[in-house]
Amino acid sequence: MMNKQLPILLASLSMLFSSSTLAEGFNDNYFQLGFSTSDYSSLEYDLLAALPLVEKIKHHDLAEKIIDIRASVDLGNNYSIIGGYARESGDWSDGYTEWGKNWDSKSSSLSLGFGKNFDLNVKNLGDIILSYTQLTSSLSAVKNKSDLTSFRILTQSQWNNITKTKNFNTFSLGLRTISNFDIELGAKYNRLAGNGINFDQLELEAIRNFSNNLAVGARVTTQKNGSKTGLFLRTSF
């Protein structure tokens, strides 16, 4: 019953926002501001290595807030260049004796992206039509610098300082599509590697376009150690 009502509901909502802002396909000229929360860090293993051996077997909790900025420029022929900057802050704990504060991490990245268009027009989803589908790929160079000051709970004394600077690469392969409701959907596989960083991510994204130059999006990223969720505001030019 719910499956039959979903296309009707989406069609009704689309009448409220029937501007057809994505009638010309994807726009990779944009500026984006986002906010996310995360329960993992790309430098989590550095935090583990800084603890005494007896503490490594205990559960570690990470709580981070992330503000990120991205800018993309379309180079033509489905190529684009993307610059990014992110700042993470939060606390970590081993759940027993130690806790850290003044966790501050800054990352900058430069990416080259490419999209391969598909002549796809799916019309078997009720009133939902999927079009302007692309297979996407990108290669990024990332630089990350993180600082952490940790304290002992019992004595409230400073225990250790960690400062790490790492350069690594990210390769991404994904698929994105646009529906007739001006909603862009995407799924992406990310591989992060280099300087002790070596893991995979799955990223899901939905973007609602309200005009030719204004959109709001949501993103969920998962990996073996945890997940990250966030919202972003995008303006196109």
Side-chain angles (χ1 to χ4, degrees):
M1 184 67 178
M2 186 63 183
N3 292 335
K4 294 181 179 179
Q5 292 179 346
L6 182 58
I8 299 175
L9 177 60
L10 291 176
S12 301
L13 290 174
S14 70
M15 296 177 64
L16 299 175
F17 305 102
S18 57
S19 56
S20 298
T21 59
L22 295 177
E24 297 181 357
F26 301 101
N27 184 358
D28 287 324
N29 292 308
Y30 62 82
F31 176 83
Q32 180 175 300
L33 176 64
F35 175 79
S36 306
T37 60
S38 175
D39 57 4
Y40 73 88
S41 168
S42 60
L43 299 184
E44 181 171 357
Y45 292 108
D46 294 317
L47 299 179
L48 296 179
L51 295 173
L53 181 61
V54 68
E55 302 293 349
K56 291 182 182 180
I57 61 174
K58 298 185 180 299
H59 176 67
H60 286 69
D61 297 315
L62 286 157
E64 297 193 313
K65 299 178 178 63
I66 306 166
I67 297 176
D68 65 273
I69 300 171
R70 299 184 189 182
S72 173
V73 176
D74 190 338
L75 301 178
N77 296 319
N78 289 332
Y79 284 94
S80 60
I81 187 168
I82 308 102
Y85 173 82
R87 182 169 184 175
E88 306 180 26
S89 61
D91 301 325
W92 70 275
S93 170
D94 67 0
Y96 181 61
T97 59
E98 309 297 339
W99 67 292
K101 68 175 184 178
N102 299 327
W103 168 251
D104 189 66
S105 175
K106 303 179 182 69
S107 297
S108 56
S109 63
L110 185 64
S111 310
L112 179 65
F114 175 74
K116 173 65 176 178
N117 294 323
F118 284 89
D119 186 14
L120 179 65
N121 199 337
V122 179
K123 297 182 179 180
N124 61 349
L125 298 174
D127 292 321
I128 301 175
I129 299 175
L130 302 180
S131 57
Y132 299 108
T133 301
Q134 275 191 346
L135 178 67
T136 62
S137 61
S138 66
L139 182 63
S140 308
V142 184
K143 181 175 183 178
N144 178 284
K145 181 179 180 181
S146 296
D147 298 288
L148 173 71
T149 301
S150 59
F151 291 79
R152 290 189 181 278
I153 291 179
L154 296 179
T155 62
Q156 291 292 296
S157 59
Q158 184 170 315
W159 173 44
N160 195 11
N161 290 327
I162 305 173
T163 298
K164 294 285 185 178
T165 299
K166 291 194 173 185
N167 297 308
F168 58 94
N169 298 311
T170 301
F171 171 74
S172 299
L173 184 66
L175 188 71
R176 63 178 179 175
T177 187
I178 298 174
S179 78
N180 54 321
F181 301 105
D182 288 335
I183 296 177
E184 182 179 331
L185 302 173
K188 186 188 300 182
Y189 162 78
N190 303 321
R191 175 66 176 176
L192 288 72
N195 260 328
I197 296 176
N198 187 20
F199 54 88
D200 304 312
Q201 293 179 335
L202 177 62
E203 183 177 307
L204 302 176
E205 185 176 83
I207 304 173
R208 178 63 171 91
N209 290 266
F210 293 98
S211 69
N212 287 326
N213 58 4
L214 181 62
V216 175
R219 180 184 297 115
V220 177
T221 305
T222 64
Q223 67 171 55
K224 181 179 180 180
N225 296 347
S227 62
K228 176 170 62 177
T229 58
L231 299 173
F232 57 87
L233 181 67
R234 176 182 294 184
T235 179
S236 303
F237 53 90

